[in-house]
């Protein structure tokens, strides 16, 4: 298959490109280098031995998006990663999140229909569940109020795709709800080099480990969880990447016309922030400096996945655990 990956220089995008190529697929990337540099394409080449063409375009500009499909009429699948992704930042600049995340999605869908690209995989998020009433969450767990503008863009993105799918019965869609991707590719080549300051937990723990950051501030120690800190389901990024390849291979089967499927991409294990810190201390043999601070706006208290649907339909089964995540970043 020839697959268009938007956000191909990003963290999950670059890992997914490596997975797709390793399974024999061809890739075209579209990335404007907003949050990652062009050197990521060199790192992908170091991992795979293959050069991937990247279109440095703004996906909110439809003419630019169309050019990719005109140049590559044989694209049969789209994986749409490109989006702004920070919960905390989204509370500060909500309109940027809505403009960027929704406009680019709408342009991709319009091009999918116009250029008759059968299969579309969307990067959704466990944040669509809000603070869920039941745990672990299944794909049928009802959405609660979004806790951040970022989460709302993902809820709205899913709704946009559902409405669009109704009038395009010849097209197929998979919505992947990621839990908390972490770690890096075993080769070490795809280390996330975000241009912005990192905001997610595992890279911050790494910065404390290396001394780049003096200490980690835990956002809230008085939540109703086993140690007072928030619970998430941290999943190795290589496992997240393979879910995309399996999704496209599933949609590419001859009997899958007009499908819209949703899958949780998590390990099923809920881990607190304090447990994450202690896991890194164990793997690295080094004590980490941390303090309990205020709660962060937009945080869900606890969420972890039931991933049995992805296992049954896609044959996806995560292979790595928290220790593997921390070993991979050392
Ligand atoms: N977190 C924290 N301190 C930090 C960064 C994150 O305590 O400096 C916590 C955050 O409150 C959440 C968990 O770590 O409970 C995961 O946050 P992250 O931003 O990595 O992912 P999110 O689930 O918010 O998308």
């Amino acid at each position: 298959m020839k697959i268009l990956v938007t956000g191909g220089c990003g963290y999950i995008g670059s890992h997914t490109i490596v997975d797709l190529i390793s399974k024999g697929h061809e890739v075209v990337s579209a990335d404007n280098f907003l949050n990652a540099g062009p050197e990521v394409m060199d790192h992908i080449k170091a991992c795979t031995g293959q050069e991937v063409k990247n279109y440095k375009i703004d996906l909110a500009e439809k003419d630019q998006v169309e050019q990719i499909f005109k140049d590559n009429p044989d694209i049969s699948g789209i994986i749409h990663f490109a989006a702004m992704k920070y919960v905390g930042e989204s509370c500060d600049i909500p309109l940027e999140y809505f403009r960027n995340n929704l406009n680019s999605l709408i342009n991709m869908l319009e091009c999918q229909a116009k250029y008759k690209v059968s299969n579309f995989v969307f990067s959704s998020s466990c944040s669509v569940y809000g603070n869920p009433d039941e745990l672990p969450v299944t794909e049928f767990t009802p959405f609660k109020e979004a806790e951040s503008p970022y989460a709302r863009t993902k809820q709205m993105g899913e709704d946009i795709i559902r409405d669009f799918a109704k009038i395009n019965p010849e097209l197929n869609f998979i919505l992947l709800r990621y839990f908390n991707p972490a770690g890096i590719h075993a080769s070490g080549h795809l280390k996330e080099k975000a241009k912005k300051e990192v905001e997610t937990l595992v890279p911050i723990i790494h910065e404390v480990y290396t001394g780049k950051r003096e200490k980690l501030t835990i956002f809230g120690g008085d939540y109703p969880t086993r140690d007072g800190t928030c619970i998430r389901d941290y999943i190795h990024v290589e496992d997240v990447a393979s879910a995309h390849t399996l999704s496209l291979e599933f949609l590419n089967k001859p009997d899958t016309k007009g499908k819209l499927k949703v899958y949780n991409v998590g390990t099923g294990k809920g881990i607190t922030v304090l447990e994450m810190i202690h896991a890194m201390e164990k793997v690295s043999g080094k004590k980490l400096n941390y303090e309990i601070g205020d709660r962060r706006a937009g945080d869900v208290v606890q969420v972890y996945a039931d991933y049995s649907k992805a296992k049954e339909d896609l044959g996806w089964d995560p292979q790595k655990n928290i220790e593997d995540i921390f070993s991979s970043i050392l």
Side-chain angles (χ1 to χ4, degrees), residues 85-88 125-127 150 179-180 199-204 213 216-220 223 229-232 234 273 296 298-301 303:
K85 64 173 183 181
Y86 294 123
V87 166
S125 157
C126 65
S127 64
Y150 163 76
F179 284 66
N180 286 60
E199 285 196 27
T200 45
L201 182 64
V202 170
I204 290 174
R213 190 183 286 249
L216 167 78
T217 301
I218 297 176
F219 297 139
Y223 283 104
T229 65
C230 290
I231 291 177
R232 295 286 185 279
Y234 297 89
V273 179
R296 176 176 69 173
D299 260 339
V300 163
V301 181
V303 66

Side-chain angles (χ1 to χ4, degrees), residues 8-305:
C9 292
Y11 174 50
I12 310 178
S14 57
H15 281 84
T16 299
I17 290 178
V18 169
D19 193 72
L20 284 164
I21 291 173
S22 75
K23 310 266 167 60
H25 303 295
E26 199 183 333
V27 176
V28 175
S29 163
D31 195 301
N32 62 358
F33 306 136
L34 186 73
N35 200 32
E39 70 281 357
V40 176
M41 286 295 143
D42 300 332
H43 300 153
I44 290 173
K45 190 173 177 194
C47 283
T48 64
Q50 282 191 33
E51 196 100 44
V52 172
K53 178 167 175 52
N54 181 67
Y55 285 81
K56 184 179 177 299
I57 60 159
D58 181 354
L59 295 175
E61 297 294 331
K62 199 162 153 220
D63 291 351
Q64 297 182 22
V65 179
E66 289 217 32
Q67 194 57 49
I68 303 174
F69 294 94
K70 286 178 186 153
D71 291 353
N72 301 275
D74 49 345
I75 287 173
S76 65
I78 298 167
I79 307 179
H80 181 49
F81 289 108
M84 295 168 81
K85 64 173 183 181
Y86 294 123
V87 166
E89 181 185 66
S90 78
C91 296
D92 298 330
I93 49 169
L95 297 186
E96 287 297 302
Y97 271 68
F98 289 114
R99 190 189 345 260
N100 182 71
N101 292 5
L102 299 182
N103 280 347
S104 62
L105 172 62
I106 290 167
N107 283 341
M108 293 314 301
L109 293 173
E110 281 180 339
C111 285
Q112 182 197 7
K114 181 166 175 185
Y115 294 93
K116 299 188 170 35
V117 179
S118 302
N119 302 326
F120 193 98
V121 178
F122 177 61
S123 295
S124 189
S125 157
C126 65
S127 64
V128 297
Y129 295 111
N131 274 301
D133 286 334
E134 58 186 32
L135 287 166
V137 290
T138 75
E139 292 79 358
F140 303 102
T141 301
F143 290 2
K144 300 296 287 292
E145 178 75 15
E147 292 294 320
S148 65
Y150 163 76
R152 207 179 302 282
T153 68
K154 294 299 177 186
Q155 289 183 342
M156 292 166 84
E158 288 201 9
D159 286 341
I160 288 168
I161 291 173
R162 277 193 203 89
D163 286 339
F164 180 72
K166 283 181 199 151
I167 55 162
N168 289 284
E170 74 288 4
L171 304 180
N172 303 310
F173 302 87
I174 285 185
L175 318 180
L176 294 180
R177 293 181 183 153
Y178 315 140
F179 284 66
N180 286 60
I184 56 163
H185 190 262
S187 68
H189 288 304
L190 297 180
K191 199 156 182 242
E192 192 178 16
K193 291 197 188 73
K195 286 183 181 168
K196 294 181 186 170
E197 205 179 317
V198 295
E199 285 196 27
T200 45
L201 182 64
V202 170
I204 290 174
I205 288 177
H206 185 250
E207 285 188 357
V208 177
Y209 164 77
T210 60
K212 185 173 176 201
R213 190 183 286 249
E214 193 216 327
K215 63 174 173 254
L216 167 78
T217 301
I218 297 176
F219 297 139
D222 58 351
Y223 283 104
T225 59
R226 52 184 174 268
D227 61 20
T229 65
C230 290
I231 291 177
R232 295 286 185 279
D233 182 339
Y234 297 89
I235 171 140
H236 198 288
V237 66
E238 285 189 66
D239 285 323
V240 177
S242 71
H244 296 79
T245 309
L246 290 169
S247 292
L248 285 168
E249 289 171 353
F250 173 80
L251 290 179
N252 211 36
K253 288 180 188 155
D255 58 338
T256 53
K257 279 280 156 285
K259 278 224 158 58
L260 193 160
K261 297 273 192 181
V262 184
Y263 298 109
N264 283 339
V265 179
T267 65
K269 293 190 189 69
I271 302 191
T272 70
V273 179
L274 275 169
E275 287 165 352
M276 287 295 279
I277 295 168
H278 297 321
M280 175 61 162
E281 288 179 334
K282 198 165 158 216
V283 169
S284 67
K286 189 170 167 183
K287 280 265 161 238
L288 298 176
N289 194 14
Y290 65 86
E291 65 177 5
I292 307 275
D294 293 338
R295 291 182 175 194
R296 176 176 69 173
D299 260 339
V300 163
V301 181
Q302 53 178 331
V303 66
Y304 49 94

